[in-house]
Amino acid sequence: IGDGLEIHSRAFAQAVASETGEHGLLEAARALALTVHDLARDASLRETIAGEFATRSASAILASKPV
């Protein structure tokens, strides 16, 4: 939505209320919905995730980097 914006600022609020901000929101919502769809339809994926979650500590999960 823009470079150099600080979160919780007036400039950020204006940017997220813009057409570009709305587009970003819809893209994020679509990504979340598709993730839920995948999880709902794939039991083995849910098992894999549950197993990985069970083997990690909470701090390891928070410290891990996205793939």
Side-chain angles (χ1 to χ4, degrees), residues 2-60:
D3 292 329
L5 291 175
E6 292 186 30
I7 230 168
H8 302 298
S9 68
R10 289 177 198 235
F12 184 81
Q14 290 172 343
V16 298
S18 69
E19 187 175 331
T20 302
E22 184 176 347
H23 178 74
L25 172 69
L26 293 174
E27 286 296 312
R30 181 178 297 132
L32 287 171
L34 290 171
T35 300
V36 170
H37 178 267
D38 289 345
L39 289 169
R41 295 183 51 101
D42 191 340
S44 67
L45 178 59
R46 291 191 306 273
E47 290 173 17
T48 299
I49 292 169
E52 184 174 334
F53 184 81
T55 60
R56 293 183 179 201
S57 68
S59 60

